[in-house]
């Protein structure tokens, strides 16, 4: 149980285009999903927290107009990188907290990540 | 405010030797602490967690960690390293412990810098 998927697993795009990354909780309902980015040989940095049906909360320094997050249902959140540039190339990882259950224990279940390369 | 410091970005051990990965935390609320493992180009897998119950926590793959409040530490250990343990390990702290004080929290995780474990045959 508690599986989180991401799609695509990797994507290469041209500078100036937009890219959408999906994060799905496959066997549980996720009231809260988190989006992280990870640069090579670095730790995970939280970008934003999204709650189903409400606007995402962005961390300081993260441009909300550039990184659009939609959490339309209890099993799906999307991250759209708009007008991508080479400096946006990174490993993007989502995680989800289960509704009820282990949510009170703070456990997040992580997706496998999406490698974005902007040429 | 929360922070995590992992001492040593790289740790190298021989197969069969003790593994010790260090983690110190800072938290303004009772901490929930986690250790995750990441294999190349993959997401994170939970090894174990401390959520204010027993201070010695046992996790998967033979790993365990001890919460020491006086030392603000949560070091990860394994008695005997295996080649398959080679990966990157992240310590993380959650702000969920603050709920007991009436605060609101979404359970944000703050990660340490990570420690790459290499296991030599």
């Amino acid at each position: 149980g508690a599986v989180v998927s991401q799609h695509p697993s990797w994507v290469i795009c041209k500078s100036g285009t937009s890219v959408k990354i999906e994060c799905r909780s496959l066997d549980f309902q996720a009231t809260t999903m988190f989006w992280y980015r990870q640069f090579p040989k670095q730790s995970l940095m939280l970008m934003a927290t999204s709650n189903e049906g409400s606007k995402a909360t962005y961390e300081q320094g993260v441009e909300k107009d550039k990184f659009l997050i939609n959490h339309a249902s209890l099993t799906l959140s999307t991250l759209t990188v708009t007008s991508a540039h080479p400096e946006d190339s990174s490993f993007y990882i989502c995680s989800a907290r289960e509704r009820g259950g282990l949510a009170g224990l703070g456990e997040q279940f992580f997706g496998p990540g999406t490698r974005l390369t902007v040429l | 405010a929360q922070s995590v410091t992992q001492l040593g970005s790289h740790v190298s051990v021989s197969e069969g030797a003790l593994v010790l990965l260090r983690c110190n935390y800072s938290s303004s609320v009772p901490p929930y602490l986690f250790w995750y493992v990441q294999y190349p180009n993959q997401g994170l897998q939970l090894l174990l967690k401390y959520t204010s119950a027993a201070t010695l926590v046992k996790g998967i793959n033979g790993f365990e960690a001890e919460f020491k409040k006086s030392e603000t530490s949560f070091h990860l250990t394994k008695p005997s390293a295996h080649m398959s343990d080679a990966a990157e390990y992240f310590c993380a702290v959650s702000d969920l412990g603050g709920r007991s004080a009436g605060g609101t929290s979404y359970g944000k995780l703050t990660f340490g810098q990570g420690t790459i474990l290499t296991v030599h045959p």
Side-chain angles (χ1 to χ4, degrees):
Chain A
V3 178
V4 175
S5 70
Q6 281 184 242
H7 178 80
S9 56
W10 59 271
V11 57
I12 300 173
C13 69
K14 293 182 178 180
S15 185
T17 60
S18 294
V19 174
K20 179 183 285 188
I21 302 170
E22 292 186 349
C23 176
R24 293 182 184 272
S25 56
L26 298 184
D27 50 4
F28 66 98
Q29 292 184 325
T31 49
T32 304
M33 289 186 169
F34 303 86
W35 286 95
Y36 299 84
R37 65 188 300 181
Q38 185 181 29
F39 291 106
K41 302 186 187 302
Q42 294 188 27
S43 188
L44 282 75
M45 298 299 295
L46 180 65
M47 298 175 66
T49 303
S50 76
N51 291 287
E52 186 264 338
S54 62
K55 290 184 178 180
T57 302
Y58 290 81
E59 295 299 301
Q60 192 172 8
V62 178
E63 300 174 60
K64 59 183 178 182
D65 294 330
K66 181 168 184 61
F67 299 99
L68 301 179
I69 292 172
N70 183 284
H71 192 160
S73 76
L74 285 171
T75 59
L76 173 65
S77 176
T78 60
L79 168 68
T80 301
V81 183
T82 62
S83 186
H85 288 90
E87 58 265 31
D88 298 323
S89 298
S90 187
F91 194 51
Y92 292 87
I93 303 175
C94 74
S95 70
R97 285 186 60 211
E98 189 175 13
R99 182 180 197 175
L102 292 171
L105 299 178
E107 185 161 357
Q108 296 180 22
F109 300 99
F110 285 81
T114 297
R115 174 76 58 193
L116 171 62
T117 301
V118 185
L119 301 177
Chain B
Q2 302 169 278
S3 66
V4 175
T5 301
Q6 291 181 238
L7 299 175
S9 57
H10 289 80
V11 171
S12 181
V13 300
S14 298
E15 192 173 18
L18 171 71
V19 175
L20 171 60
L21 305 183
R22 299 178 187 274
C23 171
N24 288 89
Y25 70 91
S26 173
S27 178
S28 56
V29 298
Y32 286 7
L33 296 158
F34 304 80
W35 274 100
Y36 287 90
V37 60
Q38 185 182 33
Y39 296 97
N41 295 310
Q42 295 187 27
L44 274 66
Q45 179 183 5
L46 180 68
L47 281 177
L48 48 80
K49 59 180 180 281
Y50 166 78
T51 55
S52 75
T55 56
L56 181 62
V57 180
K58 295 186 183 297
I60 62 172
N61 301 338
F63 284 95
E64 62 181 40
E66 185 172 8
F67 171 69
K68 291 187 177 181
K69 184 178 179 180
S70 61
E71 299 178 8
T72 61
S73 69
F74 190 57
H75 302 330
L76 181 71
T77 61
K78 182 174 180 177
S80 177
H82 192 273
M83 296 295 288
S84 61
D85 295 328
E88 187 161 18
Y89 292 79
F90 292 94
C91 181
V93 61
S94 167
D95 64 354
L96 260 185
R99 278 190 169 180
S100 61
T104 57
S105 166
Y106 293 119
K108 289 168 51 174
L109 288 175
T110 300
F111 286 88
Q113 304 90 321
T115 298
I116 296 174
L117 175 66
T118 303
V119 182
H120 296 289

